[in-house]
């Protein structure tokens, strides 16, 4: 068996999710090649070559892939991937965008968002927003798979010494072009891979009050998230949303502040190792999944939390 | 310009999902069914394009058993002009759904196809992208804004880390995210009128598509449930527990 992993990156650094996907590939077993497609991605290819368990890194460096347009990536990956038994990428918004095109171009099914590998053709994935867990067997000769990064512990980022090979395949479908982007700038860790996440919900009352959470986050080296209610109310931007339709997170510590715990939110965080809930409503469903619950007014509890943390950190 | 909208009949999003005791799937007997929420957003977007004078006709299509006609009628009540029902009692997976929709696209030649980004049952997030690839169209997935401008459509997409805008040649495929719009409710007079709007039924065979699932579900289980932990009295106890018991700070 031979497995092609499509690296997730932003043209400046390799995303940790790629290491989780390589771990999923190792669980399948076989030679693992990594494809790095983007623009000016030499350093990323070198980083990928150091990842544990990688056999070869293939590089497609061209402006056509600079903004990860699905039309171009889809054609590239379908062509490069057709000699492999499995094609894997992370189930981030880029992977979710281009991977089904790859499957359609190869006339095979896609298995989305797997959290476990049972065998080379059988995978486990959540359905119904995580309210049911399905074991699925794929019969196509090429398995096209997106991987939920939190389902797999990442392989080591260092220690490997894969060869790096340049590809001169340029696929520009000419169907789409990049217009612009608004990316949130933050020095805090990436929500999807942070070890600690502190999230606010509707109980935060407005966007300014999220500064309280940011101060605590900076103390703990945490990422800041939000519930869908807080995003829909316009307190914070959509990329902070944790939940079924937002980011799926599984940090060591998840602190839910003023979040009631709708199923939609729980689907995005219930695999966290330790969950803390701070909410003034003691009947809030979030307490049913929390390891430590504090029934309190968050506007009193959070400043106290910050003070207590300063004592121990 | 003609707009094609695909809608799916799924379990109502308010219903508590229960796995069948024999682990063969989710219990759908006597459960309330509804239009997939992302598909409602797709219908709403098409209706708004029509209200703005951008869209001239909205065709709504659904694939599945006879009962799907309820969801098509709902879309017609919301403002779609006519319906197409591709009737089958078989399980239709994303790739087959995309092939069936491709056949409809070839017949109807819409300028824009709008779908939900995923259905809340299988959570696959595939059909729109597969349809775009099979028909050779560009795609604007996870859309939070759609602006048609001459022979192009600008789609603002919700991506990891923020928003990204792409320009697509028409015809194109758009898949909706939650914040694209807030769907309206159908009024009673419109529900009555929708009953008289045209609805064509056809089979997958009529469209030359064979339903041959590539994925088989071996079992479906309930997720491991988390146990509720303890309540702490105050912040000091919380920090103490996190440090000395859970050892996560």
């Amino acid at each position: 068996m031979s497995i092609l992993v499509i690296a997730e990156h932003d043209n400046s650094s390799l995303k940790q999710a790629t290491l989780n996907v390589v771990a999923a590939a190792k669980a399948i077993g076989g030679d693992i090649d990594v494809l790095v497609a983007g623009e000016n991605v030499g350093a990323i290819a070198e980083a990928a070559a150091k990842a544990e368990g990688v056999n070869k890194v293939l590089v497609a460096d061209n402006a056509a892939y600079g903004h990860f347009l699905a039309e171009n990536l889809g054609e590239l990956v379908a062509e490069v991937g057709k000699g492999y038994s499995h094609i894997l990428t992370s189930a981030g918004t880029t992977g979710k965008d281009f991977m089904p095109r790859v499957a359609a171009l190869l006339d095979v099914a896609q298995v989305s968002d797997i959290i476990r590998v049972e065998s080379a053709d059988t995978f486990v994935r959540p359905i119904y927003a995580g309210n049911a867990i399905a074991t699925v067997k794929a019969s196509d000769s090429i398995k096209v798979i997106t991987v939920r990064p939190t389902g797999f512990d990442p392989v080591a980022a260092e220690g490997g010494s894969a060869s790096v090979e340049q590809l001169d395949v340029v696929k520009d479908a000419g169907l789409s072009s990049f217009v612009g982007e608004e990316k949130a700038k933050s020095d805090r860790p990436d929500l999807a891979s942070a070890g600690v996440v502190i999230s606010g919900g509707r109980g935060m009352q407005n966007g300014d009050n999220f500064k309280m959470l940011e101060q605590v986050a900076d103390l703990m080296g945490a990422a800041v998230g939000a519930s869908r209610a807080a995003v829909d109310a316009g307190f914070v931007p959509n990329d902070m949303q944790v939940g079924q339709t937002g980011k799926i997170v599984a940090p060591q510590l998840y602190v839910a502040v003023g979040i009631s715990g709708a199923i939609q939110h729980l689907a995005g965080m219930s695999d966290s190792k330790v969950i803390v809930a701070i909410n003034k409503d003691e009947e809030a469903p979030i307490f049913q999944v929390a390891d430590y619950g504090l029934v309190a007014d968050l506007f009193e509890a959070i400043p106290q939390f910050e003070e207590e943390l300063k004592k121990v950190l | 310009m003609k707009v094609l909208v695909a809608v799916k009949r799924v379990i109502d999003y308010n219903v508590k999902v229960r796995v069948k005791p024999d682990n063969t799937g989710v219990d759908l007997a006597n459960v309330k069914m509804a239009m997939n929420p992302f598909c409602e957003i797709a219908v709403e977007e098409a209706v708004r394009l029509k209200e703005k004078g951008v869209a001239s006709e909205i065709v709504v299509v659904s694939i599945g058993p006879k009962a799907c006609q309820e969801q098509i009628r709902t879309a017609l009540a919301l403002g779609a002009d006519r319906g197409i029902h591709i009737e089958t009692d078989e399980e239709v997976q994303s790739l087959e759904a995309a092939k069936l929709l491709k056949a409809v696209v070839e017949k109807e030649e819409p300028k824009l196809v709008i779908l939900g980004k995923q259905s809340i049952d299988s959570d696959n997030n595939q059909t729109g992208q597969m349809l775009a690839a099979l028909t050779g169209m560009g795609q604007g997935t996870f859309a939070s804004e759609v602006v048609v401008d001459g022979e192009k459509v600008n789609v603002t997409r919700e991506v990891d880390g923020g928003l990204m805008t792409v320009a697509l040649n028409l015809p194109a495929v758009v898949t909706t995210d939650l914040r694209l719009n807030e769907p309206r409710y159908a009024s009673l007079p419109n529900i009555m009128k929708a009953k008289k709007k045209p609805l064509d039924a056809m089979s997958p065979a009529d469209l030359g598509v064979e339903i041959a699932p590539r994925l088989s579900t071996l079992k479906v289980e309930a997720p491991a449930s988390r146990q509720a932990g303890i309540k702490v009295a105050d912040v000091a106890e919380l920090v103490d527990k996190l440090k000395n018991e859970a050892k996560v700070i």
Side-chain angles (χ1 to χ4, degrees), chain A residues 211-286:
Chain A
K211 289 202 183 84
M212 292 166 41
L213 302 188
E214 289 168 5
Q215 285 170 18
V216 175
D218 289 342
L219 213 52
M220 305 176 84
V224 179
S227 70
R228 182 176 159 192
V231 173
D232 282 351
F235 300 170
V236 291
N238 62 280
D239 55 290
M240 286 172 63
Q241 184 180 326
V242 172
Q244 180 197 358
T245 53
K247 301 270 192 327
I248 310 285
V249 302
Q252 292 292 304
L253 173 60
Y254 188 88
V255 185
V257 182
I259 291 177
S260 62
I263 290 175
Q264 175 333 104
H265 186 74
L266 300 184
M269 46 64 84
S270 56
D271 287 334
S272 304
K273 182 159 172 271
V274 174
I275 296 174
V276 169
I278 300 174
N279 200 304
K280 66 180 173 191
D281 174 11
E282 65 180 309
E283 302 295 322
I286 190 77

